[in-house]
Amino acid sequence: MNRTIHYEISEAHAGLRVEQYLKRRGYSSQNLASIKRMPESILINGIHSYMRQPLAADDRLTVQITESRCSEKIPPVEIPLQIVYEDEDIIVINKPAGMPIHPSLNNYYNTMANALAWYYKEQEKPFIFRCCNRLDRDTSGLTVVAKHLVSAGILSAMTGRREVNREYLAITTGHVMPESGTITAPLARKPGTIIERTVDWERGEPAVTHYRLIASDDRHSLVSLKLETGRTHQIRIHMKYLGYPLIGDYLYHPDMSCIGRQALHSCRLSFPHPITGTAMDFTAPLPNDMQAVLDIPT
């Protein structure tokens, strides 16, 4: 994916070298190393320049990102996508339940990555898959994909600084009590399995989930959850640890009487735009299968 980015240099940044300025804009050392290898990648006032060139007030710095290769192990497949937002740097998708994010041994042609590869192939654009907040196959909702190496690097760094805010909706068993709180319980791989995780106070990595009850009919609760950390299966394990597992969760609470997958939906995603810094805020309504559970008469 090719991208040309322009920066107008202010008095406050005058005297910085190009590489120093770009690092302040969030470019990683790896980003800068890759850009150096690209032809005519740095221009100052339209003139080819180098990373060590100092900048002056009112200069126009241009970064030209050129990526021609594609993700070789992601075959393009024509699969519908619900695109919520797209610009030159990011694409936000409302992923349906049952769609894996990227290919694996038993899911090589039915993933969101396959669908995106097709989407860009149709536009005759190269495609490298860089998903910034991965969802489990059966979790529906919002996810953001970076369209080039710089937006990917900046979004990754923002995730590490907890600047990417994620809110989920879940349907659990019972009436959640207390009705709001914070679950702080470390998570680790469950012994004897490569898939399941468990609360492990000795070996686990820190994991923090904030939750709030939205509605309950005593059989089920609709809960809003916000993550401070992004551990594998974090919400599913934390709610089970609290005593209110998600319905339809084949790993941790295999009650499929109301729904055929874990009742978990990424309903809101917000972050500063990786290139412009503009506040971005996206929402996705509760999918039909979860709404149907809430509509069941008590």
Side-chain angles (χ1 to χ4, degrees):
M1 197 73 64
N2 297 338
R3 172 74 161 106
T4 299
I5 306 172
H6 300 289
Y7 300 104
E8 305 298 331
I9 305 304
S10 67
E11 187 68 44
H13 296 111
L16 291 177
R17 297 192 302 272
V18 170
E19 61 187 357
Q20 292 174 319
Y21 176 80
L22 293 178
K23 280 189 175 182
R24 293 194 183 189
R25 300 287 310 201
Y27 289 56
S28 67
S29 297
Q30 185 176 356
N31 287 162
L32 297 178
S34 297
I35 291 169
K36 282 180 183 178
R37 294 191 291 269
M38 297 175 185
E40 299 284 319
S41 57
I42 300 296
L43 304 175
I44 300 176
N45 303 322
I47 300 171
H48 178 232
S49 302
Y50 296 94
M51 288 288 182
R52 297 188 64 81
Q53 179 75 24
L55 295 163
D58 299 325
D59 275 349
R60 181 177 174 85
L61 172 63
T62 301
V63 179
Q64 297 188 141
I65 301 166
T66 305
E67 294 186 293
S68 58
R69 67 184 184 91
C70 294
S71 295
E72 297 176 357
K73 296 183 179 180
I74 301 178
V77 181
E78 187 176 7
I79 303 171
L81 280 174
Q82 185 178 346
I83 297 172
V84 176
Y85 174 84
E86 182 178 12
D87 61 25
E88 293 181 285
D89 305 300
I90 60 173
I91 181 167
V92 178
I93 295 167
N94 185 11
K95 184 187 81 68
M99 175 185 277
I101 288 284
H102 55 80
S104 60
L105 181 62
N106 296 316
N107 296 283
Y108 195 60
Y109 297 102
N110 61 331
T111 73
M112 191 179 81
N114 297 118
L116 278 171
W118 176 274
Y119 178 69
Y120 289 113
K121 179 185 176 184
E122 290 296 286
Q123 301 175 53
E124 299 183 346
K125 294 179 180 178
F127 167 74
I128 299 174
F129 185 60
R130 298 181 174 106
C131 187
C132 300
N133 68 307
R134 301 190 178 192
L135 302 176
D136 293 338
R137 180 192 65 190
D138 288 335
T139 298
S140 57
L142 297 168
T143 184
V144 58
V145 178
K147 294 176 71 171
H148 54 79
L149 78 169
V150 173
S151 57
I154 294 174
L155 278 169
S156 177
M158 289 195 300
T159 300
R161 297 193 300 268
R162 299 179 183 174
E163 294 174 4
V164 177
N165 298 305
R166 296 160 289 171
E167 181 178 353
Y168 294 78
L169 291 172
I171 300 176
T172 73
T173 59
H175 184 124
V176 171
M177 292 290 291
E179 294 188 350
S180 64
T182 298
I183 306 167
T184 304
L187 304 180
R189 180 174 289 145
K190 185 176 180 180
T193 175
I194 61 172
I195 299 175
E196 293 184 57
R197 269 48 174 187
T198 188
V199 171
D200 190 326
W201 293 96
E202 294 182 358
R203 301 181 300 111
E205 295 180 292
V208 180
T209 305
H210 306 284
Y211 74 91
R212 175 176 57 88
L213 177 68
I214 296 176
S216 177
D217 62 7
D218 291 329
R219 295 169 61 245
H220 302 119
S221 291
L222 178 64
V223 182
S224 166
L225 303 114
K226 294 183 178 180
L227 299 179
E228 272 195 33
T229 54
R231 308 301 179 198
T232 300
H233 301 172
Q234 178 173 320
I235 287 174
R236 298 160 67 183
I237 301 168
H238 271 182
M239 290 310 296
K240 180 179 180 180
Y241 178 73
L242 191 66
Y244 304 96
L246 273 59
I247 62 171
D249 190 334
Y250 73 98
L251 277 179
Y252 304 110
H253 184 69
D255 174 8
M256 307 295 180
S257 58
C258 295
I259 193 170
R261 53 103 174 185
Q262 70 249 14
L264 185 61
H265 177 64
S266 172
C267 66
R268 189 166 193 171
L269 186 63
S270 60
F271 51 88
H273 191 281
I275 302 302
T276 67
T278 303
M280 312 297 287
D281 194 348
F282 305 100
T283 58
L286 203 65
N288 291 337
D289 60 349
M290 290 179 65
Q291 188 61 55
V293 173
L294 301 176
D295 291 342
I296 293 174
T298 57

